Amino acid sequence: MLKSELHDLLVITMRVRTFQIILLDENTRGYAVYESHPPNPEDRAVALSPDSPIFELFRLERADHLAFKIAYAMPGETDLERSARQQFREFDPEFCFPFFNGSELFGFLLLGEKSSGDPFTPHDVNLVKQLVQSLSVVLNQIRLNRQVQQAKELELLGHMSAGLAHDLNNLPTPVRTFQKFFSSGMAKSDAVLGLIPVARRNLDRVKASLRAARSCSRTTSLSL
């Protein structure tokens, strides 16, 4: 719902030709395009780091946006602004708006030109500023929920690992016993043959425990 409303506001109401939302991936600690128009079926990694010029610009000046075109830029461009604009040159944006959580800069909204070719008005820019402020709160809430979920998964994985260690130590015992009997050439008996279903059942339990451990180790990315 959030994604469709955002798309309608930017593409239908404001009539932007392109936009990209770039966010911090909590798993890889890198940045990638999580939403875009026109849609891109694959996430695109973006070469950014906390000491990149775009980060320095927004953190030092606490600016609420950065214009990329001469028509919107303030006179007297600084070296830092020039370097920051180069970082998103591949997207050819008109504006860049930062997503902040307190002092943490965790993403960007890039807007391309309007499909009509008309310039952005001050009203347009102010509208997007308000949108970005609201989106920052929502996106950060999603990030916090994901972090809580990961913490719970880690706690669960800790309990599972203790049980898994116990099972891996004890469940193969019938298998080892049967192997010893078989290696020693002991004649078949009800006691020896009775170990076969026990060994199979225990091995199935080991497999089930390993599958559960693998499911807990999977990570997912933030989804809009």
Side-chain angles (χ1 to χ4, degrees), residues 171-179 193-206:
L171 291 178
T173 300
V175 180
R176 289 194 294 267
T177 303
F178 181 80
Q179 183 185 31
L193 294 178
L195 289 173
I196 296 177
V198 176
R200 289 175 176 172
R201 184 174 63 249
N202 285 8
L203 288 176
D204 289 340
R205 287 182 59 186
V206 171

Side-chain angles (χ1 to χ4, degrees), residues 75-88:
E77 178 187 45
T78 65
D79 292 337
L80 184 57
E81 288 175 332
R82 189 178 302 108
S83 298
R85 291 187 179 99
Q86 290 297 315
Q87 291 194 274
F88 290 136

Side-chain angles (χ1 to χ4, degrees), residues 109-140:
L109 169 63
L110 303 180
L111 291 186
E113 64 179 3
K114 290 187 177 183
S115 55
S116 62
D118 295 334
F120 284 87
T121 66
H123 175 72
D124 293 331
V125 176
N126 287 329
L127 176 64
V128 178
K129 289 179 185 177
Q130 296 174 24
L131 171 66
V132 167
Q133 290 176 359
S134 299
L135 270 178
S136 295
V137 175
V138 174
L139 292 175
N140 189 59

Side-chain angles (χ1 to χ4, degrees), residues 177-189 191-193 195:
T177 303
F178 181 80
Q179 183 185 31
K180 290 179 180 178
F181 286 159
F182 187 80
S183 299
S184 63
M186 180 175 290
K188 292 182 179 180
S189 65
V192 174
L193 294 178
L195 289 173

